[in-house]
Amino acid sequence: MTSRISRARSRITSLLPARADLAEIRRDPRRDLLAGLTVAIVALPLALGFGVSSGLGAEAGLATAVVAGALAALFGGSNLQVSGPTGAMTVVLVPIVGKYGPTGVLTVGLMAGVMLMALAALKAGRYMQYIPAPVVEGFTLGIACVIGLQQIPNALGVPKPEGDRVLVVTWRAVQEFAKSPNWTAVGLAVAVAALMLIGARWRPTVPFSILAVIAATVVAQAAGLDAAKPIGDLPSGLPAPSLAFLDLGSLGTLLAPAVAVAALAALESLLSASVADGMTVGQQHDPDRELFGQGLANIAAPMFGGVPATGAIARTAVNVRTGASSRLAALTHAAVLAVIVFAAAPLVSKIPLAALAGVLLATAIRMVEVGSLKAMAKATRSDALILVLTAAATLALDLVYAVVIGLAVAGALALRAVAKQARFDQVPLDRGDHSAEEHALLAEHIVAYRIDGPLFFAAAHRFLLELTEVADVRVVILRMSRVSTMDATGALVLKDAVQKLRRRGVTVLASGIRPGQRRVLDSVGALDLLRPEGREYATTPEAIRAARDHLETAGVLPALPVQRPRTAGTATEEALR
């Protein structure tokens, strides 16, 4: 009992901030403060834009960036991760808002936070590394397309049409724009997006997103552009934490959306943390602690009216590139945004929605890594297929279904590739024991099959077809020492093959069965077909001698002179195992 308590305490302690985090913060605070300020400038228009896109408003995006950003930075498993509202999460939240309303989104965020903490306790973070690269690339491409399409209504200056399918909403927005064009909104959105994209190539270190938004706001106010609809009034501060939105009776209904949000938060956060590790030397995130920090952040954010949060790849990349080395940078980013919420809410409220749409359009375009997509498409046909299917599913269905479909296709193709490695080859018998004439006679009645590689459900039926088609033989020897793995399906198919051969009067012998294979074969009764007549042997030479004895007894082979047995371990013996 004491040891269990000790292990539990150790597990909890490993998920909490440690002295090493404080030591990292003290190493170069000036550099981290500057990096945090830069990230905050980049994050402000994104937080506002994703809050608006989610359907809960700009204030929800700011609350998430401040509250979730601070808690995830403090308790997360990466020194460099920056968290907040993201485009991928917005894609999931839009249909939830449409179906369950704002309170439903807050409840879903809270439930997802609890699930993330449970995943951390179960040490599930390490399993995220097994997601194939084509799934991640297709997922990212699909998200970029969805984010871009979500901005079309605001970029065209039309009210957002009804619907939760982004393609339908986009088409309706275009139709509405055709009836009453708003070229002012289009001009602002295009100008902001163009300035961001061109500026990023010209001066990558300059935060052109905030400069473009400021310029668009000044132009809209100075020129009195009524068609450039602004964000609207924002509260001068964060609301008091509250659970008034929580309806216990709706928890069952919201379970499926909460699982989707938790899965996406885990996937995107761990992917972002891995990207940060790859951009630095010596940094290594703790995946379970990262899930714990994201869970805590998502429990707290809804209490302040915020949307679910994840690690943000773009903001994390900016954080790394500007020299961040500890959690202080991400904490500074949250603190700067908090100051903006309290001090500059009236100014922020005047930002045109079209300008924010331009920021997110540019963000979506920059998410698409053309070089990575080309490389993945050229790698193998399987990789290209997985990428396209995942991207299409992201666009047509939702993100969680897209990942599931991508993983399912990737798994099926991987199994197909592994199954192709299985070989069932007829091999020559040992010529050393017999003369050429005797060996020819032996070969006419005995055939040996060597099974190489995995014998499992994806390869077993091909084995059955090949084995049961042998003709003009009296004895079949199955050499199984090179079987790498076997499942119940493989064992059942092997049993079926032995039964079919025995019905034709063919004697089946086996050699080299390993202990692990023996358990599987015994569980389905396959060994029972061999044991009664002693037809299972440790080595192939023993099986050959038994086959000869069987044929001599049956009168098929003449009795041969007794051969001096070879010592175990010779080259020939080893080759025939």
Side-chain angles (χ1 to χ4, degrees):
M1 184 66 178
T2 304
S3 62
R4 287 183 181 178
I5 294 175
S6 177
R7 285 197 300 269
R9 184 183 302 142
S10 174
R11 179 65 189 147
I12 293 172
T13 303
S14 69
L15 296 174
L16 297 175
R19 290 182 179 179
D21 299 330
L22 184 59
E24 289 285 344
I25 288 175
R26 289 175 174 172
R27 181 176 299 176
D28 196 350
R30 176 183 289 181
R31 197 171 176 182
D32 286 329
L33 290 171
L34 181 60
L37 176 61
T38 304
V39 175
I41 293 172
V42 173
L44 176 60
L46 294 174
L48 295 170
F50 289 136
V52 172
S53 294
S54 70
L56 269 70
E59 61 273 19
L62 283 174
T64 303
V66 173
V67 177
L71 288 174
L74 187 60
F75 290 94
S78 170
N79 288 329
L80 306 175
Q81 178 94 286
V82 177
S83 299
T86 63
M89 187 59 72
T90 300
V91 173
V92 174
L93 295 180
V94 169
I96 297 176
V97 173
K99 189 171 184 180
Y100 302 104
T103 58
V105 171
L106 299 179
T107 305
V108 162
L110 185 67
M111 294 171 66
V114 174
M115 292 177 187
L116 288 170
M117 296 185 75
L119 289 174
L122 294 172
K123 299 183 179 181
R126 58 192 171 188
Y127 296 112
M128 303 302 289
Q129 64 182 316
Y130 297 114
I131 296 179
V135 174
V136 175
E137 291 291 343
F139 179 75
T140 305
L141 175 60
I143 288 173
C145 293
V146 173
I147 292 173
L149 291 174
Q150 282 181 341
Q151 309 317 310
I152 297 302
N154 283 337
L156 298 179
V158 300
K160 183 180 177 182
E162 295 293 327
D164 57 1
R165 294 292 179 190
V166 67
L167 292 173
V168 175
V169 171
T170 301
W171 176 243
R172 290 175 179 171
V174 171
Q175 289 179 318
E176 190 66 27
F177 176 80
K179 296 177 184 177
S180 179
N182 183 348
W183 296 109
T184 300
V186 173
L188 287 176
V190 171
V192 169
L195 182 58
M196 285 182 61
L197 294 173
I198 296 171
R201 287 180 172 272
W202 178 49
R203 290 284 189 275
T205 58
V206 177
F208 281 98
S209 59
I210 193 69
L211 295 178
V213 168
I214 291 172
T217 305
V218 170
V219 169
Q221 292 295 312
L225 302 177
D226 296 333
K229 183 181 177 181
I231 291 175
D233 293 337
L234 293 174
S236 297
L238 296 175
S242 171
L243 286 173
F245 62 86
L246 187 60
D247 178 10
L248 297 179
S250 66
L251 296 184
T253 306
L254 295 172
L255 181 60
V259 170
V261 169
L264 178 59
L267 173 65
E268 190 173 12
S269 297
L270 294 179
L271 175 62
S272 177
S274 297
V275 169
D277 291 345
M279 295 175 65
T280 58
V281 177
Q283 292 286 351
Q284 186 68 38
H285 75 283
D286 181 337
D288 295 322
R289 186 177 167 189
E290 182 62 30
L291 291 179
F292 178 82
Q294 294 295 336
L296 196 59
N298 277 288
I299 289 174
M303 297 182 186
F304 293 88
V307 296
T310 74
I313 296 177
R315 276 156 275 177
T316 299
V318 171
N319 195 37
V320 174
R321 286 171 184 155
T322 49
S325 61
S326 76
R327 301 166 188 272
L328 181 59
L331 287 168
T332 302
H333 138 270
V336 171
L337 290 177
V339 170
I340 292 174
V341 170
F342 281 98
L347 295 177
V348 172
S349 66
K350 299 182 184 300
I351 296 174
L353 290 174
L356 293 182
V359 170
L360 299 186
L361 283 170
T363 301
I365 293 172
R366 291 169 64 178
M367 285 177 67
V368 179
E369 295 285 348
V370 178
S372 297
L373 293 176
K374 286 183 177 179
M376 203 66 63
K378 291 179 179 178
T380 65
R381 277 190 247 174
S382 297
D383 290 334
L385 175 63
I386 295 167
L387 189 153
V388 171
L389 282 178
T390 305
T394 302
L395 188 59
L397 301 174
D398 66 43
L399 303 192
V400 176
Y401 281 137
V403 172
V404 170
I405 290 172
L407 289 175
V409 174
L413 293 174
L415 286 175
R416 179 170 170 264
V418 171
K420 285 183 175 180
Q421 296 177 5
R423 294 173 59 90
F424 314 107
D425 296 330
Q426 183 177 346
V427 294
L429 299 172
D430 181 21
R431 297 177 179 269
D433 284 347
H434 315 287
S435 67
E437 181 181 351
E438 291 166 344
H439 179 270
L441 182 60
L442 187 66
E444 288 178 6
H445 302 284
I446 303 175
V447 64
Y449 268 89
R450 183 173 63 210
I451 309 173
D452 288 346
L455 183 59
F456 69 128
F457 69 93
H461 291 88
R462 179 161 60 93
F463 162 76
L464 175 63
L465 291 174
E466 292 187 22
L467 186 58
T468 54
E469 286 177 358
V470 297
D472 300 326
V473 297
R474 300 291 294 273
V475 180
V476 170
I477 299 175
L478 300 179
R479 299 173 58 176
M480 300 181 62
S481 62
R482 298 189 184 184
V483 176
S484 58
T485 185
M486 180 186 295
D487 66 358
T489 302
L492 284 170
V493 167
L494 182 64
K495 176 184 177 182
D496 190 23
V498 172
Q499 288 175 328
K500 289 183 177 180
L501 289 171
R502 289 184 64 178
R503 289 193 203 105
R504 291 167 44 194
V506 178
T507 299
V508 181
L509 309 181
S511 67
I513 300 177
R514 297 179 180 178
Q517 301 162 8
R518 187 181 303 281
R519 286 193 297 270
V520 180
L521 290 167
D522 202 19
S523 68
V524 301
L527 288 182
D528 294 339
L529 298 176
L530 303 173
R531 282 172 177 158
E533 301 176 25
R535 293 175 178 172
E536 178 197 345
Y537 302 92
T539 65
T540 301
E542 293 176 356
I544 293 174
R545 287 193 289 271
R548 289 187 62 255
D549 292 341
H550 171 74
L551 294 181
E552 288 172 5
T553 303
V556 177
L557 284 179
L560 297 174
V562 177
Q563 302 290 326
R564 181 173 60 84
R566 295 187 304 276
T567 58
T570 65
T572 306
E573 181 85 13
E574 183 65 26
L576 288 172
R577 287 186 184 279

